[in-house]
Each structure stands twice: as structure tokens, then as C-alpha cells.
Amino acid sequence: MKIVKMKRENLSSFLEAISREAELWAPVKKGVDTHAFQVVKDFSEIDLNYTRTILPPRKILVPSRFNMFQATKTEYTPDFSHVSNKIIFGIHPCDISGLLTMDKFYSYAIEDPYYLESRKKAMILGHSCWPDEHCLCKSTNTHIVEEGYDLFFTDLKDFYLVWIGSTQGDDLIRLVPDLFEGEIADQDIQRFMQWREDRDKAYSSEINFVAMADLMELRYNDPVWAKLGEACLACGSCTNVCPTCNCYNVEDRPVLGAEHSNISRCWDACTLENYSGVAGGENFREKRADRLKLWYTHKLQAYISKYGKPACVGCGRCIATCPVDINIKTVSDSLDGANPDAFWNRLSQEVTK
Ligand code: SF4
Ligand code: SF4
């Protein structure tokens, strides 16, 4: 791995050069205080001063709906028309870790060609960030990343230190080598180390993830789940915003007047009622409490035994999104002995202020 330096004023020239290579995606401000990844042509739209986007970058690789193949009576034709060369700029370490989790999931037992093809054609250009009160990535050890990117930009105000993580990343630098400097002065290194130390101290929220797998087991039949289930609105938002969630549904969409059917794939959420419905009208997880328990079993227990890490990268999206304050922090705190009523008491106080 090599690290080079780039003056801040060179960023636009660099983006200009790389945007000729592939479709450029980056964070853009939406509304008052929200951000979203989108294709950018006008670089002044890019806002790197963000904490988290509404949806994680997996939405770029796996769109909320796409056609998987066309089927006739005798054959099927795969459809990869949604896959194209992309450069995704400005991804934070937690979201890069989310993609690494997806990589494992989508190639663990049966390879998912749609995800893997999209991933192969996407270059990941990470960017450093600063935590807010919802960020838990220090607890998940995903506040820094050692892999999963082609380039990674650490913002040190008037310059960037740029980690080169792949030969493709190196090729991007070679498009405009004059924008980069190979020599990193001692004062630049000191600035970076100070920035790291200050950032580590800026985290204000944490979860004891090490204990969570055991607590999920020990509290599997705890009444806390019924309480959480009562409050849950079953809106599915926590699932849609999570960078490691990957459930989908497959729909047969006949094309009227044609002799084929489109087989499409769309995001689904295990927190939604119909997710566990089967033919005949049975539903194995009719109760919201059971669906929440499934979600958190995956996050806090099942992924650890399968992949060695929780399926939480600490992005804080479920905290920022759930309208009734059920999220990885409040659920973990409940499992750890906190009374969940306190969350809703706090909410009602905030509402009446
Ligand atoms: S569980 Fe919540 S904090 Fe963890 S990765 Fe998913 S959305 Fe982010
Ligand atoms: S936990 Fe919150 S965000 Fe998730 S489904 Fe329930 S109400 Fe919606």
C-alpha cells in the first residue's frame, strides 16, 4: 500500500479527469440536512461535509428494483443492463465495511452474479469523516478501513493524504500524476496522527458488541422483545437504510402481448409483515416482535458465527431513521439491562418540548 499527497485545490481537476473514465457518483446535499449518493456532472454539487447519506452505497450496486432475466417457455436470458462502470467517490469507512460484508454474503455459498458483476465494475474512492452522536463505528472497529477501496482520501484541511488500495486506484492517479506528491513531510505525518487522535476522542456513543451475541442468546425469550414489538411500526425503514441488509424478493412480471416474462428483483425487509408469508396464507413471523428479533439475531449473533463480525458497521442510520427510537443502540442497551420505557419517555418529552 502506498500513500501520496494531494493539495485540496487539485480535487476538481482530479474529479474532472476520472469522470471521463466512468460514471461518477458522489454525496450531494438533499433538503436541509440530508445527503444522498447520486451521479454528478457538476462537481460543485458534491458535498463531502456529510456524516451519513440517507441510503447506503449498496443502492448503487443493487438498485431497489432491477430486471434479472427474461424468461420464455423454453429459455431465459440474463439481464445485466443495470450494471455499468462506476466510480463512487466519498464513501466513508463504515460504508466500505458494509460493502465488504456484502461481498462475503453474496459469495459465501452461492455466488450472486448481479451483485458481483456490479461490484467488479465499481471503483470505490473512500473519504474520511467525523463522527456525530449516532456513530458507533469505533465500537464495531469499522472507523478505519485497511481494504475494500481503490483510493482513500483523508481530509487534512488544505491537503489530502491518499491511500492507494489497488492497481486500478493507481491507474486513476496515473491519469494526472502531476496533481500528486510522493514525498510526505514529517509535519504532514504529525498532522495526520493528531487528526486520528482527535477523531478517536470525538466518539460519544458506544456499544459493547463483544457481549451482544451472548446476550441475544440469553435474552431470546425476554419480555423486552414484546415491548419493542408493541412500539415498532413495521415500516421497514431500519432495514432499507442499513448497509449490510440484503434481503430481496423476486417477482414474475409478465409482459402483456409478448411471449416472455420479466423476472425482477426488488429490495425486501424482514421487518415487513409479508416477508415471512408463504403460500396458503401462513405467516411464520406475524408478530412484529418476532420480526425484530430475527433482524437483531442476524445483526448481533448469526453474522458473528458465520463471518466473524456483527452485521453492523456502526453507521448510525437506523438511529437517525427509526421514528420510534428502536435501533441498534436502544436494542443493545435493552439487552444489556436498560429499561426500554426510558427511550419512549425520552421521545415523548422531546415531542412535547
Ligand atoms: S444496524 Fe444500524 S448502525 Fe448498524 S450498520 Fe445497520 S443501520 Fe448502521
Ligand atoms: S424498528 Fe423502527 S424503523 Fe424498523 S420497522 Fe420498526 S418502526 Fe420501522
Side-chain angles (χ1 to χ4, degrees):
M1 182 176 309
K2 199 174 159 197
I3 303 173
V4 292
K5 176 179 169 180
M6 184 182 82
K7 290 197 182 106
R8 188 178 198 87
E9 68 221 38
N10 289 341
L11 182 62
S12 290
S13 306
F14 176 66
L15 295 177
E16 177 71 46
I18 63 172
S19 63
R20 284 183 230 123
E21 303 296 301
E23 190 176 73
L24 181 68
W25 289 68
V28 166
K29 195 165 186 179
K30 297 271 173 190
V32 181
D33 196 24
T34 48
H35 289 80
F37 280 101
Q38 68 175 48
V39 177
V40 282
K41 300 254 186 276
D42 174 1
F43 304 140
S44 68
E45 281 184 316
I46 298 175
D47 185 1
L48 295 165
N49 190 22
Y50 79 102
T51 310
R52 62 185 65 75
T53 49
I54 305 164
L55 292 173
R58 74 173 157 87
K59 73 155 194 186
I60 305 167
L61 303 182
V62 187
S64 56
R65 178 181 290 281
F66 65 89
N67 198 40
M68 288 203 297
F69 50 86
Q70 283 187 355
T72 66
K73 281 181 193 162
T74 53
E75 60 181 9
Y76 75 93
T77 313
D79 181 354
F80 284 88
S81 56
H82 67 286
V83 177
S84 61
N85 289 325
K86 296 179 172 77
I87 296 174
I88 311 173
F89 174 63
I91 303 191
H92 290 168
C94 62
D95 279 337
I96 294 175
S97 298
L99 292 178
L100 290 169
T101 305
M102 302 275 283
D103 293 349
K104 283 188 189 143
F105 177 82
Y106 281 129
S107 54
Y108 181 72
I110 298 169
E111 294 197 340
D112 179 335
Y114 297 98
Y115 173 79
L116 294 176
E117 194 59 20
S118 263
R119 181 73 155 113
K120 203 164 70 190
K121 295 204 163 181
M123 296 191 69
I124 305 298
L125 275 50
H127 193 279
S128 59
C129 52
W130 199 262
D132 70 3
E133 71 279 15
H134 298 325
C135 290
L136 291 160
C137 52
K138 197 157 167 244
S139 299
T140 48
N141 203 24
T142 51
H143 59 315
I144 44 172
V145 272
E146 308 285 352
E147 55 173 340
Y149 58 82
D150 297 289
L151 296 174
F152 190 93
F153 291 71
T154 296
D155 182 357
L156 296 168
K157 300 268 188 260
D158 50 333
F159 68 92
Y160 291 98
L161 286 184
V162 184
W163 276 248
I164 304 173
S166 72
T167 48
Q168 289 89 338
D170 197 35
D171 288 345
L172 290 185
I173 299 245
R174 284 170 197 276
L175 289 173
V176 273
D178 293 348
L179 301 181
F180 296 88
E181 298 162 39
E183 291 297 314
I184 316 283
D186 192 50
Q187 69 213 42
D188 298 336
I189 297 170
Q190 281 176 25
R191 177 100 73 94
F192 168 63
M193 293 309 287
Q194 187 61 53
W195 172 85
R196 251 183 97 139
E197 201 182 314
D198 293 346
R199 180 171 175 261
D200 277 357
K201 285 184 196 149
Y203 285 87
S204 57
S205 196
E206 61 178 7
I207 292 179
N208 180 8
F209 275 95
V210 178
M212 283 305 141
D214 289 337
L215 282 172
M216 275 304 303
E217 189 65 36
L218 292 165
R219 295 211 192 270
Y220 196 77
N221 295 315
D222 195 285
V224 72
W225 292 111
K227 277 205 162 186
L228 294 167
E230 259 172 49
C232 174
L233 306 172
C235 64
S237 301
C238 50
T239 320
N240 280 331
V241 300
C242 181
T244 67
C245 277
N246 44 54
C247 291
Y248 60 84
N249 198 1
V250 174
E251 291 173 356
D252 191 341
R253 305 197 134 201
V255 182
L256 294 180
E259 296 204 345
H260 70 267
S261 211
N262 283 330
I263 312 297
S264 75
R265 169 166 155 179
C266 54
W267 292 359
D268 205 346
C270 63
T271 40
L272 297 176
E273 186 174 359
N274 289 340
Y275 179 85
S276 298
V278 294
E282 279 303 320
N283 191 324
F284 295 110
R285 289 188 200 88
E286 217 162 1
K287 289 187 187 152
R288 296 189 300 266
D290 289 342
R291 300 200 294 273
L292 280 181
K293 208 191 280 190
L294 175 76
W295 201 73
Y296 283 99
T297 303
H298 272 169
K299 297 282 159 214
L300 298 172
Q301 193 183 46
Y303 267 60
I304 296 177
S305 55
K306 208 163 202 172
Y307 305 117
K309 285 181 170 184
C312 174
V313 292
C315 72
R317 284 188 180 90
C318 58
I319 305 174
T321 301
C322 176
V324 292
D325 225 15
I326 300 172
N327 55 57
I328 196 82
K329 175 78 175 127
T330 50
V331 170
S332 300
D333 285 352
S334 303
L335 294 173
D336 212 3
N339 181 354
D341 286 340
F343 313 137
W344 299 307
N345 286 342
R346 190 185 71 224
L347 266 187
S348 61
Q349 279 162 13
E350 280 168 8
V351 168
T352 50
K353 256 185 211 167

PDB file of all heavy atoms in Angstrom, residues 56-72:
ATOM      1  N   PRO A  56     -27.477   3.703   2.031  1.00  0.00           N
ATOM      2  CA  PRO A  56     -26.059   3.353   1.903  1.00  0.00           C
ATOM      3  C   PRO A  56     -25.682   3.146   0.433  1.00  0.00           C
ATOM      4  O   PRO A  56     -26.563   2.954  -0.410  1.00  0.00           O
ATOM      5  CB  PRO A  56     -25.974   2.027   2.675  1.00  0.00           C
ATOM      6  CG  PRO A  56     -27.342   1.441   2.556  1.00  0.00           C
ATOM      7  CD  PRO A  56     -28.299   2.584   2.515  1.00  0.00           C
ATOM      8  N   PRO A  57     -24.386   3.132   0.126  1.00  0.00           N
ATOM      9  CA  PRO A  57     -23.980   2.993  -1.278  1.00  0.00           C
ATOM     10  C   PRO A  57     -24.338   1.649  -1.912  1.00  0.00           C
ATOM     11  O   PRO A  57     -24.223   1.499  -3.120  1.00  0.00           O
ATOM     12  CB  PRO A  57     -22.468   3.205  -1.245  1.00  0.00           C
ATOM     13  CG  PRO A  57     -22.061   3.171   0.168  1.00  0.00           C
ATOM     14  CD  PRO A  57     -23.251   3.443   1.005  1.00  0.00           C
ATOM     15  N   ARG A  58     -24.819   0.692  -1.122  1.00  0.00           N
ATOM     16  CA  ARG A  58     -25.244  -0.568  -1.749  1.00  0.00           C
ATOM     17  C   ARG A  58     -26.376  -0.310  -2.747  1.00  0.00           C
ATOM     18  O   ARG A  58     -26.578  -1.067  -3.675  1.00  0.00           O
ATOM     19  CB  ARG A  58     -25.658  -1.605  -0.710  1.00  0.00           C
ATOM     20  CG  ARG A  58     -26.994  -1.372  -0.046  1.00  0.00           C
ATOM     21  CD  ARG A  58     -27.392  -2.539   0.841  1.00  0.00           C
ATOM     22  NE  ARG A  58     -28.334  -2.150   1.869  1.00  0.00           N
ATOM     23  CZ  ARG A  58     -29.661  -2.127   1.716  1.00  0.00           C
ATOM     24  NH1 ARG A  58     -30.189  -2.488   0.568  1.00  0.00           N
ATOM     25  NH2 ARG A  58     -30.451  -1.755   2.705  1.00  0.00           N
ATOM     26  N   LYS A  59     -27.111   0.814  -2.568  1.00  0.00           N
ATOM     27  CA  LYS A  59     -28.206   1.119  -3.502  1.00  0.00           C
ATOM     28  C   LYS A  59     -27.672   1.347  -4.923  1.00  0.00           C
ATOM     29  O   LYS A  59     -28.389   1.206  -5.897  1.00  0.00           O
ATOM     30  CB  LYS A  59     -28.992   2.342  -3.046  1.00  0.00           C
ATOM     31  CG  LYS A  59     -28.239   3.648  -3.250  1.00  0.00           C
ATOM     32  CD  LYS A  59     -29.138   4.858  -3.391  1.00  0.00           C
ATOM     33  CE  LYS A  59     -28.342   6.046  -3.921  1.00  0.00           C
ATOM     34  NZ  LYS A  59     -29.056   7.294  -3.970  1.00  0.00           N
ATOM     35  N   ILE A  60     -26.379   1.723  -5.004  1.00  0.00           N
ATOM     36  CA  ILE A  60     -25.793   1.968  -6.329  1.00  0.00           C
ATOM     37  C   ILE A  60     -25.474   0.626  -7.003  1.00  0.00           C
ATOM     38  O   ILE A  60     -25.598   0.471  -8.207  1.00  0.00           O
ATOM     39  CB  ILE A  60     -24.505   2.815  -6.197  1.00  0.00           C
ATOM     40  CG1 ILE A  60     -24.804   4.093  -5.433  1.00  0.00           C
ATOM     41  CG2 ILE A  60     -23.907   3.119  -7.565  1.00  0.00           C
ATOM     42  CD1 ILE A  60     -23.572   4.857  -4.969  1.00  0.00           C
ATOM     43  N   LEU A  61     -25.048  -0.343  -6.202  1.00  0.00           N
ATOM     44  CA  LEU A  61     -24.662  -1.647  -6.756  1.00  0.00           C
ATOM     45  C   LEU A  61     -25.870  -2.559  -6.931  1.00  0.00           C
ATOM     46  O   LEU A  61     -25.925  -3.366  -7.859  1.00  0.00           O
ATOM     47  CB  LEU A  61     -23.635  -2.324  -5.838  1.00  0.00           C
ATOM     48  CG  LEU A  61     -22.361  -1.515  -5.569  1.00  0.00           C
ATOM     49  CD1 LEU A  61     -21.402  -2.314  -4.701  1.00  0.00           C
ATOM     50  CD2 LEU A  61     -21.679  -1.126  -6.859  1.00  0.00           C
ATOM     51  N   VAL A  62     -26.812  -2.473  -5.999  1.00  0.00           N
ATOM     52  CA  VAL A  62     -28.024  -3.293  -6.079  1.00  0.00           C
ATOM     53  C   VAL A  62     -29.206  -2.324  -6.049  1.00  0.00           C
ATOM     54  O   VAL A  62     -29.685  -1.967  -4.969  1.00  0.00           O
ATOM     55  CB  VAL A  62     -28.118  -4.276  -4.887  1.00  0.00           C
ATOM     56  CG1 VAL A  62     -29.283  -5.223  -5.077  1.00  0.00           C
ATOM     57  CG2 VAL A  62     -26.826  -5.045  -4.695  1.00  0.00           C
ATOM     58  N   PRO A  63     -29.689  -1.876  -7.210  1.00  0.00           N
ATOM     59  CA  PRO A  63     -30.803  -0.921  -7.207  1.00  0.00           C
ATOM     60  C   PRO A  63     -32.030  -1.507  -6.514  1.00  0.00           C
ATOM     61  O   PRO A  63     -32.166  -2.728  -6.396  1.00  0.00           O
ATOM     62  CB  PRO A  63     -31.083  -0.694  -8.703  1.00  0.00           C
ATOM     63  CG  PRO A  63     -29.874  -1.191  -9.415  1.00  0.00           C
ATOM     64  CD  PRO A  63     -29.236  -2.233  -8.560  1.00  0.00           C
ATOM     65  N   SER A  64     -32.913  -0.642  -6.072  1.00  0.00           N
ATOM     66  CA  SER A  64     -34.088  -1.118  -5.324  1.00  0.00           C
ATOM     67  C   SER A  64     -34.940  -2.050  -6.172  1.00  0.00           C
ATOM     68  O   SER A  64     -35.644  -2.903  -5.644  1.00  0.00           O
ATOM     69  CB  SER A  64     -34.912   0.060  -4.816  1.00  0.00           C
ATOM     70  OG  SER A  64     -35.273   0.879  -5.900  1.00  0.00           O
ATOM     71  N   ARG A  65     -34.903  -1.905  -7.484  1.00  0.00           N
ATOM     72  CA  ARG A  65     -35.576  -2.863  -8.376  1.00  0.00           C
ATOM     73  C   ARG A  65     -34.784  -2.955  -9.683  1.00  0.00           C
ATOM     74  O   ARG A  65     -34.379  -1.929 -10.220  1.00  0.00           O
ATOM     75  CB  ARG A  65     -37.002  -2.402  -8.668  1.00  0.00           C
ATOM     76  CG  ARG A  65     -37.762  -3.323  -9.627  1.00  0.00           C
ATOM     77  CD  ARG A  65     -39.157  -2.808  -9.897  1.00  0.00           C
ATOM     78  NE  ARG A  65     -40.036  -2.926  -8.738  1.00  0.00           N
ATOM     79  CZ  ARG A  65     -40.631  -4.056  -8.346  1.00  0.00           C
ATOM     80  NH1 ARG A  65     -40.434  -5.166  -9.026  1.00  0.00           N
ATOM     81  NH2 ARG A  65     -41.409  -4.085  -7.280  1.00  0.00           N
ATOM     82  N   PHE A  66     -34.543  -4.154 -10.146  1.00  0.00           N
ATOM     83  CA  PHE A  66     -33.945  -4.324 -11.468  1.00  0.00           C
ATOM     84  C   PHE A  66     -34.402  -5.654 -12.068  1.00  0.00           C
ATOM     85  O   PHE A  66     -34.869  -6.548 -11.347  1.00  0.00           O
ATOM     86  CB  PHE A  66     -32.410  -4.232 -11.427  1.00  0.00           C
ATOM     87  CG  PHE A  66     -31.737  -5.333 -10.649  1.00  0.00           C
ATOM     88  CD1 PHE A  66     -31.364  -6.526 -11.263  1.00  0.00           C
ATOM     89  CD2 PHE A  66     -31.458  -5.174  -9.300  1.00  0.00           C
ATOM     90  CE1 PHE A  66     -30.731  -7.538 -10.554  1.00  0.00           C
ATOM     91  CE2 PHE A  66     -30.831  -6.179  -8.576  1.00  0.00           C
ATOM     92  CZ  PHE A  66     -30.467  -7.367  -9.194  1.00  0.00           C
ATOM     93  N   ASN A  67     -34.285  -5.737 -13.386  1.00  0.00           N
ATOM     94  CA  ASN A  67     -34.695  -6.960 -14.062  1.00  0.00           C
ATOM     95  C   ASN A  67     -33.541  -7.959 -14.042  1.00  0.00           C
ATOM     96  O   ASN A  67     -32.429  -7.621 -14.420  1.00  0.00           O
ATOM     97  CB  ASN A  67     -35.084  -6.625 -15.509  1.00  0.00           C
ATOM     98  CG  ASN A  67     -35.902  -7.716 -16.128  1.00  0.00           C
ATOM     99  OD1 ASN A  67     -36.763  -8.292 -15.464  1.00  0.00           O
ATOM    100  ND2 ASN A  67     -35.633  -8.032 -17.379  1.00  0.00           N
ATOM    101  N   MET A  68     -33.793  -9.185 -13.563  1.00  0.00           N
ATOM    102  CA  MET A  68     -32.709 -10.187 -13.515  1.00  0.00           C
ATOM    103  C   MET A  68     -32.594 -10.952 -14.830  1.00  0.00           C
ATOM    104  O   MET A  68     -31.514 -11.232 -15.311  1.00  0.00           O
ATOM    105  CB  MET A  68     -32.961 -11.196 -12.398  1.00  0.00           C
ATOM    106  CG  MET A  68     -32.747 -10.631 -11.024  1.00  0.00           C
ATOM    107  SD  MET A  68     -32.385 -11.924  -9.837  1.00  0.00           S
ATOM    108  CE  MET A  68     -33.893 -12.857  -9.883  1.00  0.00           C
ATOM    109  N   PHE A  69     -33.738 -11.341 -15.373  1.00  0.00           N
ATOM    110  CA  PHE A  69     -33.704 -12.022 -16.674  1.00  0.00           C
ATOM    111  C   PHE A  69     -35.083 -12.026 -17.308  1.00  0.00           C
ATOM    112  O   PHE A  69     -36.099 -11.741 -16.666  1.00  0.00           O
ATOM    113  CB  PHE A  69     -33.145 -13.443 -16.578  1.00  0.00           C
ATOM    114  CG  PHE A  69     -33.747 -14.316 -15.518  1.00  0.00           C
ATOM    115  CD1 PHE A  69     -34.904 -15.041 -15.759  1.00  0.00           C
ATOM    116  CD2 PHE A  69     -33.134 -14.447 -14.273  1.00  0.00           C
ATOM    117  CE1 PHE A  69     -35.442 -15.854 -14.791  1.00  0.00           C
ATOM    118  CE2 PHE A  69     -33.659 -15.261 -13.287  1.00  0.00           C
ATOM    119  CZ  PHE A  69     -34.824 -15.979 -13.548  1.00  0.00           C
ATOM    120  N   GLN A  70     -35.078 -12.346 -18.594  1.00  0.00           N
ATOM    121  CA  GLN A  70     -36.328 -12.550 -19.317  1.00  0.00           C
ATOM    122  C   GLN A  70     -36.513 -14.039 -19.482  1.00  0.00           C
ATOM    123  O   GLN A  70     -35.566 -14.749 -19.825  1.00  0.00           O
ATOM    124  CB  GLN A  70     -36.252 -11.925 -20.706  1.00  0.00           C
ATOM    125  CG  GLN A  70     -36.399 -10.424 -20.710  1.00  0.00           C
ATOM    126  CD  GLN A  70     -36.479  -9.884 -22.121  1.00  0.00           C
ATOM    127  OE1 GLN A  70     -36.331 -10.617 -23.088  1.00  0.00           O
ATOM    128  NE2 GLN A  70     -36.721  -8.592 -22.229  1.00  0.00           N
ATOM    129  N   ALA A  71     -37.726 -14.508 -19.283  1.00  0.00           N
ATOM    130  CA  ALA A  71     -37.987 -15.949 -19.418  1.00  0.00           C
ATOM    131  C   ALA A  71     -39.063 -16.186 -20.470  1.00  0.00           C
ATOM    132  O   ALA A  71     -40.086 -15.491 -20.498  1.00  0.00           O
ATOM    133  CB  ALA A  71     -38.433 -16.507 -18.073  1.00  0.00           C
ATOM    134  N   THR A  72     -38.771 -17.136 -21.364  1.00  0.00           N
ATOM    135  CA  THR A  72     -39.810 -17.590 -22.300  1.00  0.00           C
ATOM    136  C   THR A  72     -40.181 -19.011 -21.876  1.00  0.00           C
ATOM    137  O   THR A  72     -39.702 -19.496 -20.846  1.00  0.00           O
ATOM    138  CB  THR A  72     -39.288 -17.595 -23.750  1.00  0.00           C
ATOM    139  OG1 THR A  72     -38.264 -18.585 -23.829  1.00  0.00           O
ATOM    140  CG2 THR A  72     -38.746 -16.236 -24.154  1.00  0.00           C
TER     141      THR A  72
END
